[in-house]
């Protein structure tokens, strides 16, 4: 395969079998590494930056004390996962192991905001202007700086009274503890679409979905 070939979901899954630190998220792959000290986390951050420059392929990296959150996608391929992402992920994992960092896949989360509407065009421009977002080919809105949650519009002629909901993306392999924790809080769970997504409703009627990459 070429260095920038777009991968199918099955190909991503096959590659990730050899990359145990990484999980698929919407439009990318992600990992979380924990080091013994903040200084080691900064060193890992620096190593990732060096690898990114060498590959001319730059992931999103977030340093939080002794944890480093990494997401990589190919923006020049329409925000899809390519073989370049796999190569970079492998290099980053090697650097993390060299520093003695541990993998924390249970911390991987991606949040999107869903808005019920019968007419997306009537409201999309206001949201884009207010947040400084850009409209995507599929009609969703995205932060051009890749920091804030994406917004997508769920077309419905009969919007739910709670028109906004969060889609919380969790790797399928890490989703069961999340659902069990919600169940222990007496949260109402609608699992008819699981494992693709499970609709959770809190005690005050607010909805959010626990989404995974399975059955997409």
């Amino acid at each position: 395969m070429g260095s920038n070939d777009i991968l199918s979901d099955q190909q991503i899954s096959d590659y990730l079998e050899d990359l145990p630190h990484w999980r698929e998220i919407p439009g990318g792959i992600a990992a979380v590494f924990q080091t013994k000290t903040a200084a080691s986390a900064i060193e890992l951050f620096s190593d990732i930056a060096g690898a990114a420059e060498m590959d001319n392929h730059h992931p999103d990296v977030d340093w939080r004390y002794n944890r480093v959150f990494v997401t990589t996608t190919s923006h020049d391929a329409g925000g899809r996962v390519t073989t370049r992402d796999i190569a970079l992920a492998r290099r980053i994992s090697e650097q993390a192991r060299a520093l003695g960092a541990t993998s924390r896949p249970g911390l991987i989360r991606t949040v999107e905001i869903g808005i019920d509407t019968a007419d997306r065009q009537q409201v999309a421009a206001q949201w884009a202007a207010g947040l400084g977002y850009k409209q995507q080919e599929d009609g969703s809105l995205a932060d051009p700086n890749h920091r804030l949650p994406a917004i997508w519009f769920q077309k419905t002629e009969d919007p739910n009274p709670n028109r906004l909901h969060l889609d919380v993306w969790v790797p399928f392999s890490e989703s069961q503890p999340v659902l069990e924790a919600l169940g222990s809080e007496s949260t109402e769970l609608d699992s008819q679409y699981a494992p693709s997504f499970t609709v959770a409703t809190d005690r005050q009627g607010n909805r959010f979905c626990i989404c995974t990459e399975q059955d997409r």
Side-chain angles (χ1 to χ4, degrees):
M1 301 181 73
S3 62
N4 200 30
D5 287 333
I6 295 174
L7 302 176
S8 67
D9 287 341
Q10 184 59 55
Q11 288 172 318
I12 295 171
S13 179
D14 291 343
Y15 273 115
L16 293 189
E17 288 184 5
D18 296 325
L19 291 169
H21 300 158
W22 295 81
R23 301 291 187 272
E24 184 179 1
I25 62 171
I29 55 176
V32 180
F33 299 101
Q34 182 169 313
T35 61
K36 293 181 179 179
T37 66
S40 294
I42 295 173
E43 185 176 356
L44 177 57
F45 194 117
S46 178
D47 289 347
I48 292 171
E53 283 296 293
M54 184 177 297
D55 292 348
N56 193 29
H57 189 51
H58 302 91
D60 294 330
V61 186
D62 184 7
W63 165 48
R64 302 285 171 158
Y65 179 48
N66 67 335
R67 293 170 179 168
V68 178
F69 297 74
V70 191
T71 300
T72 180
T73 186
S74 294
H75 299 296
D76 57 355
R80 303 285 297 279
V81 177
T82 69
T83 46
R84 282 196 300 163
D85 297 299
I86 299 299
L88 182 59
R90 184 172 288 113
R91 187 188 294 267
I92 291 171
S93 287
E94 291 171 355
Q95 292 168 328
R97 279 192 292 265
L99 288 172
T102 57
S103 174
R104 297 293 304 276
L107 298 179
I108 297 173
R109 294 286 192 282
T110 300
V111 176
E112 297 179 338
I113 300 172
I115 301 176
D116 286 357
T117 177
D119 186 352
R120 176 182 62 81
Q121 296 293 344
Q122 189 177 39
V123 297
Q126 290 97 322
W127 284 94
L131 291 167
Y133 278 18
K134 301 296 184 183
Q135 185 165 309
Q136 307 300 295
E137 291 184 3
D138 63 1
S140 65
L141 304 178
D143 176 9
N145 296 307
H146 315 295
R147 294 181 59 250
L148 302 177
I151 293 177
W152 67 281
F153 300 95
Q154 179 168 275
K155 183 174 176 56
T156 173
E157 300 301 329
D158 185 22
N160 189 285
N162 181 355
R163 288 194 175 208
L164 273 68
H165 72 274
L166 300 183
D167 282 345
V168 183
W169 288 83
V170 180
F172 175 71
S173 60
E174 318 300 322
S175 61
Q176 193 57 40
V178 177
L179 295 173
E180 290 175 357
L182 286 171
S184 70
E185 294 295 329
S186 301
T187 306
E188 180 182 337
L189 299 177
D190 181 353
S191 302
Q192 64 176 307
Y193 303 106
S196 178
F197 64 93
T198 299
V199 180
T201 305
D202 70 15
R203 294 170 181 171
Q204 296 182 5
N206 302 298
R207 297 175 303 146
F208 58 97
C209 297
I210 302 299
C211 306
T212 81
E213 76 280 9
Q214 293 290 305
D215 291 347
R216 288 282 164 178

